[in-house]
Short mmCIF file of all heavy atoms in Angstrom, two decimals:
data_model
loop_
_atom_site.label_atom_id
_atom_site.label_comp_id
_atom_site.label_asym_id
_atom_site.label_seq_id
_atom_site.Cartn_x
_atom_site.Cartn_y
_atom_site.Cartn_z
N LEU A 17 4.08 -13.52 13.62
CA LEU A 17 3.30 -13.52 12.42
C LEU A 17 2.43 -14.86 12.38
O LEU A 17 1.29 -14.79 11.96
CB LEU A 17 4.22 -13.52 11.22
CG LEU A 17 4.89 -12.15 10.96
CD1 LEU A 17 5.79 -12.34 9.82
CD2 LEU A 17 3.84 -11.04 10.73
N PHE A 31 -7.53 -5.78 16.37
CA PHE A 31 -6.13 -5.38 16.44
C PHE A 31 -5.82 -4.26 15.36
O PHE A 31 -5.14 -3.28 15.67
CB PHE A 31 -5.31 -6.60 16.13
CG PHE A 31 -3.87 -6.25 16.01
CD1 PHE A 31 -3.11 -6.12 17.14
CD2 PHE A 31 -3.23 -6.26 14.71
CE1 PHE A 31 -1.67 -5.77 17.07
CE2 PHE A 31 -1.82 -5.96 14.64
CZ PHE A 31 -1.04 -5.76 15.87
N GLN A 52 -1.28 20.94 12.62
CA GLN A 52 -1.81 21.80 11.61
C GLN A 52 -3.28 21.23 11.09
O GLN A 52 -4.22 21.93 10.91
CB GLN A 52 -0.93 21.97 10.46
CG GLN A 52 0.40 22.70 10.78
CD GLN A 52 1.32 22.77 9.67
OE1 GLN A 52 1.10 22.26 8.55
NE2 GLN A 52 2.49 23.33 9.86
N THR A 108 -27.42 51.23 -18.70
CA THR A 108 -27.99 51.38 -20.01
C THR A 108 -29.39 50.65 -19.93
O THR A 108 -29.51 49.50 -19.60
CB THR A 108 -27.19 50.63 -21.06
OG1 THR A 108 -27.04 49.27 -20.58
CG2 THR A 108 -25.84 51.34 -21.26
N GLU A 117 -28.27 38.14 -21.81
CA GLU A 117 -27.82 39.56 -21.86
C GLU A 117 -27.75 40.04 -20.39
O GLU A 117 -26.97 41.07 -20.13
CB GLU A 117 -28.81 40.45 -22.55
CG GLU A 117 -28.91 40.21 -24.12
CD GLU A 117 -29.89 41.03 -24.84
OE1 GLU A 117 -31.14 40.96 -24.26
OE2 GLU A 117 -29.57 41.71 -25.76
N THR A 141 -29.69 45.62 -11.67
CA THR A 141 -30.75 44.63 -11.87
C THR A 141 -30.89 43.68 -10.62
O THR A 141 -31.77 42.84 -10.60
CB THR A 141 -30.48 43.69 -13.12
OG1 THR A 141 -29.28 43.02 -12.92
CG2 THR A 141 -30.48 44.56 -14.33
N HIS A 149 -44.60 35.24 3.08
CA HIS A 149 -45.38 35.45 4.21
C HIS A 149 -44.66 35.27 5.54
O HIS A 149 -43.55 34.72 5.61
CB HIS A 149 -46.61 34.44 4.20
CG HIS A 149 -46.16 33.02 4.11
ND1 HIS A 149 -45.82 32.42 2.97
CD2 HIS A 149 -46.03 32.11 5.12
CE1 HIS A 149 -45.52 31.09 3.28
NE2 HIS A 149 -45.55 30.95 4.50
N THR A 161 -39.35 32.03 -8.94
CA THR A 161 -40.59 31.75 -9.74
C THR A 161 -41.77 32.67 -9.37
O THR A 161 -42.31 33.18 -10.30
CB THR A 161 -41.01 30.25 -9.45
OG1 THR A 161 -40.01 29.37 -9.78
CG2 THR A 161 -42.27 29.96 -10.33
N PHE A 174 -29.10 33.68 9.42
CA PHE A 174 -30.29 33.57 10.34
C PHE A 174 -30.07 32.54 11.42
O PHE A 174 -29.16 31.69 11.31
CB PHE A 174 -31.44 33.10 9.44
CG PHE A 174 -31.30 31.77 8.74
CD1 PHE A 174 -31.89 30.54 9.30
CD2 PHE A 174 -30.67 31.75 7.57
CE1 PHE A 174 -31.74 29.39 8.70
CE2 PHE A 174 -30.42 30.46 6.88
CZ PHE A 174 -30.97 29.37 7.38
N VAL A 196 -35.76 49.79 4.94
CA VAL A 196 -35.25 48.82 5.86
C VAL A 196 -36.39 47.87 6.23
O VAL A 196 -37.33 48.18 6.98
CB VAL A 196 -34.81 49.52 7.22
CG1 VAL A 196 -34.32 48.50 8.22
CG2 VAL A 196 -33.69 50.48 6.96
N GLN A 201 -31.16 45.26 15.45
CA GLN A 201 -30.42 46.18 16.32
C GLN A 201 -31.00 47.58 16.21
O GLN A 201 -31.67 47.89 15.23
CB GLN A 201 -28.94 46.22 15.82
CG GLN A 201 -28.23 44.89 15.78
CD GLN A 201 -27.96 44.36 17.29
OE1 GLN A 201 -27.83 45.13 18.18
NE2 GLN A 201 -27.89 43.04 17.52
N HIS A 208 -22.56 44.47 10.15
CA HIS A 208 -21.82 44.00 8.88
C HIS A 208 -22.87 43.96 7.75
O HIS A 208 -23.91 43.29 7.88
CB HIS A 208 -21.24 42.58 9.15
CG HIS A 208 -20.14 42.65 10.14
ND1 HIS A 208 -18.80 42.96 9.78
CD2 HIS A 208 -20.03 42.29 11.45
CE1 HIS A 208 -18.02 42.90 10.85
NE2 HIS A 208 -18.76 42.39 11.86
N LEU A 218 -21.30 48.13 -5.26
CA LEU A 218 -21.30 47.12 -4.13
C LEU A 218 -20.59 47.75 -2.92
O LEU A 218 -19.52 48.32 -3.11
CB LEU A 218 -20.45 45.89 -4.52
CG LEU A 218 -20.22 44.81 -3.47
CD1 LEU A 218 -21.59 44.18 -2.96
CD2 LEU A 218 -19.35 43.81 -4.04
N PHE A 226 -28.22 54.58 9.65
CA PHE A 226 -28.18 56.06 9.23
C PHE A 226 -27.10 56.16 8.22
O PHE A 226 -27.21 56.95 7.17
CB PHE A 226 -27.90 56.87 10.42
CG PHE A 226 -29.03 56.75 11.49
CD1 PHE A 226 -28.66 56.25 12.75
CD2 PHE A 226 -30.26 57.12 11.34
CE1 PHE A 226 -29.62 56.06 13.68
CE2 PHE A 226 -31.27 56.97 12.28
CZ PHE A 226 -30.92 56.43 13.49
N ARG A 229 -28.12 54.95 4.82
CA ARG A 229 -29.05 55.78 4.07
C ARG A 229 -28.33 56.85 3.48
O ARG A 229 -28.61 57.25 2.43
CB ARG A 229 -30.08 56.34 5.12
CG ARG A 229 -31.13 55.26 5.51
CD ARG A 229 -32.17 55.83 6.49
NE ARG A 229 -33.21 54.76 6.84
CZ ARG A 229 -34.09 55.07 7.75
NH1 ARG A 229 -34.06 56.12 8.58
NH2 ARG A 229 -35.10 54.12 7.91
N LEU A 250 -7.64 40.94 1.83
CA LEU A 250 -7.59 41.16 3.22
C LEU A 250 -7.04 39.87 3.89
O LEU A 250 -6.61 39.89 5.10
CB LEU A 250 -8.88 41.42 3.85
CG LEU A 250 -9.50 42.76 3.38
CD1 LEU A 250 -10.88 43.13 3.89
CD2 LEU A 250 -8.51 43.90 3.68
N PHE A 276 -20.95 36.56 -8.66
CA PHE A 276 -21.37 35.74 -7.54
C PHE A 276 -20.67 34.37 -7.71
O PHE A 276 -20.63 33.82 -8.83
CB PHE A 276 -22.89 35.50 -7.52
CG PHE A 276 -23.70 36.70 -7.10
CD1 PHE A 276 -24.32 37.56 -8.07
CD2 PHE A 276 -23.80 37.01 -5.72
CE1 PHE A 276 -25.05 38.55 -7.68
CE2 PHE A 276 -24.64 38.10 -5.36
CZ PHE A 276 -25.19 38.89 -6.32
N ASP A 280 -20.04 24.26 -3.84
CA ASP A 280 -20.57 23.09 -3.09
C ASP A 280 -19.57 22.66 -2.03
O ASP A 280 -18.38 22.85 -2.19
CB ASP A 280 -20.90 21.98 -4.02
CG ASP A 280 -21.94 22.29 -5.10
OD1 ASP A 280 -22.77 23.28 -4.72
OD2 ASP A 280 -21.97 21.71 -6.10
N VAL A 323 -32.42 24.82 -9.54
CA VAL A 323 -31.23 24.86 -8.68
C VAL A 323 -30.10 24.21 -9.49
O VAL A 323 -30.15 23.00 -9.85
CB VAL A 323 -31.51 24.10 -7.39
CG1 VAL A 323 -30.18 24.16 -6.45
CG2 VAL A 323 -32.65 24.63 -6.57
N GLN A 376 -39.68 11.40 9.56
CA GLN A 376 -40.03 10.60 10.77
C GLN A 376 -41.28 9.84 10.61
O GLN A 376 -41.33 8.72 11.04
CB GLN A 376 -40.08 11.55 12.00
CG GLN A 376 -38.79 12.20 12.38
CD GLN A 376 -37.72 11.34 12.61
OE1 GLN A 376 -37.78 10.41 13.42
NE2 GLN A 376 -36.54 11.54 11.97
N GLU A 450 -69.02 -51.09 44.17
CA GLU A 450 -70.13 -51.19 43.31
C GLU A 450 -71.18 -52.01 43.97
O GLU A 450 -71.05 -52.81 44.79
CB GLU A 450 -69.73 -52.02 41.98
CG GLU A 450 -68.95 -51.22 41.07
CD GLU A 450 -68.85 -51.93 39.67
OE1 GLU A 450 -69.30 -53.10 39.65
OE2 GLU A 450 -68.31 -51.34 38.85
N PRO A 521 -64.81 -36.78 43.11
CA PRO A 521 -64.87 -35.33 43.19
C PRO A 521 -64.07 -34.92 44.44
O PRO A 521 -63.51 -35.68 45.03
CB PRO A 521 -66.36 -35.07 43.34
CG PRO A 521 -66.88 -36.38 43.88
CD PRO A 521 -66.02 -37.46 43.33
N GLY A 538 -56.63 -39.53 55.13
CA GLY A 538 -56.13 -39.29 53.80
C GLY A 538 -56.85 -40.12 52.79
O GLY A 538 -56.28 -40.34 51.66
#
Side-chain angles (χ1 to χ4, degrees):
L17 291 176
F31 175 77
Q52 294 174 0
T108 56
E117 292 177 310
T141 60
H149 58 273
T161 302
F174 61 98
V196 178
Q201 301 290 336
H208 293 278
L218 175 65
F226 303 111
R229 286 177 175 173
L250 298 178
F276 286 99
D280 297 334
V323 181
Q376 296 303 308
E450 284 190 355

